[in-house]
Amino acid sequence: MARTIRINGIDVPVIADDLTGAELKKAGGIPADRVLVRQGRDRNTIVPDGQRVRVADGEVFAHHARHSKAAPPTNARNSNARGPAASSGAGPAAANIRHRRVRWEAAQLAGGYPGLHVADDDAWVIIPDFRLPAGWSPNRTTVLLVPPLTYPESAPDGFYLGSQLRRRNGNTLISPGHYFQGHKNPYADLGYYWYCLEDPDRNWNASYDSLLTFVEAIRTYLGTAD
């Protein structure tokens, strides 16, 4: 029976009710190196290329660049590095492109995240009351995104979460991995910790990626093991 699924907001018709991740990418015209995820209420679940999944009419998927979670060097954990705010300047044309992309993408995000706020100079985007995947405590926090001055050509260098979050490990709540107060964090005094989500292989593609796909990556990687 024919059915329609949605991938990154675009309707994609499919016939089979059982497809692999690679077949779903092909149906949606998605490059093979992208991460395909099934969207849930509080997290995204990665659909590997070789895994078969049953799809229902109206089911929602997303795709984003492949990032990695990495710890900073041991000797940098307590540094006072200024992080993203210390990036070098950009020319007027690049700054105008960045401004338009940040504003347009933030407006789109605001539909799903009420209360979203953008700095007057586009230095950051705040998403309050962001729902965290199961296992995090508390289950909601504020997310702070910092688009680099080279955005949208470059991915954000990680992101920031409210402080004092914990993650369940069996019956114990522990400090999450990749979550740092001092490293690359000019916002520590405002109560944020930096979460290390990197793009070492330069998978970010400005033709596909945006603040919207980066938020989907956040939902994905916060729900995967440390």
Side-chain angles (χ1 to χ4, degrees):
M1 178 185 298
R3 64 204 67 209
T4 300
I5 61 175
R6 290 181 69 80
I7 304 179
N8 279 24
I10 297 173
D11 288 341
V12 177
V14 295
I15 297 177
D17 61 358
D18 183 307
L19 298 117
T20 65
E23 289 169 340
L24 284 166
K25 287 181 182 178
K26 184 176 180 180
I30 301 167
D33 63 350
R34 307 287 291 172
V35 178
L36 179 70
V37 296
R38 188 196 298 260
Q39 291 184 304
R41 183 174 180 226
D42 61 2
R43 61 168 289 182
N44 292 333
T45 303
I46 296 174
V47 181
D49 286 350
Q51 179 178 313
R52 302 197 72 85
V53 296
R54 295 188 66 83
V55 294
D57 190 50
E59 193 158 9
V60 181
F61 295 82
H63 64 90
H64 56 71
R66 190 175 304 279
H67 298 269
S68 63
K69 296 192 284 191
T74 301
N75 61 5
R77 286 177 188 266
N78 295 315
S79 73
N80 291 316
R82 292 178 61 203
S87 301
S88 59
N96 186 48
I97 291 171
R98 178 179 180 273
H99 171 74
R100 287 188 284 110
R101 283 284 297 255
V102 168
R103 292 289 162 163
W104 173 246
E105 293 163 11
Q108 292 179 291
L109 273 172
Y113 297 96
L116 179 146
H117 182 64
V118 186
D120 291 341
D121 62 357
D122 308 314
W124 43 257
V125 177
I126 287 179
I127 303 175
D129 205 32
F130 185 92
R131 182 187 293 276
L132 293 166
W136 287 78
S137 179
N139 64 2
R140 291 176 184 266
T141 191
T142 298
V143 171
L144 172 65
L145 308 177
V146 179
L149 294 181
T150 51
Y151 187 83
E153 294 304 318
S154 302
D157 183 16
F159 56 96
Y160 299 84
L161 298 171
S163 63
Q164 313 212 355
L165 294 175
R166 294 293 181 265
R167 194 167 185 181
R168 187 163 299 284
N169 181 17
N171 294 322
T172 305
L173 288 174
I174 62 173
S175 180
H178 322 286
Y179 173 67
F180 306 100
Q181 180 181 22
H183 184 60
K184 287 191 176 183
N185 190 0
Y187 305 103
D189 290 345
L190 299 178
Y192 291 99
Y193 278 32
W194 180 65
Y195 194 93
C196 183
L197 193 62
E198 299 182 323
D199 180 30
D201 299 321
R202 303 197 178 195
N203 293 308
W204 179 273
N205 184 332
S207 297
Y208 292 102
D209 287 304
S210 64
L211 295 180
L212 285 82
T213 67
F214 191 67
V215 168
E216 292 302 331
I218 290 173
R219 283 167 41 85
T220 299
Y221 291 107
L222 289 181
T224 61
D226 288 336

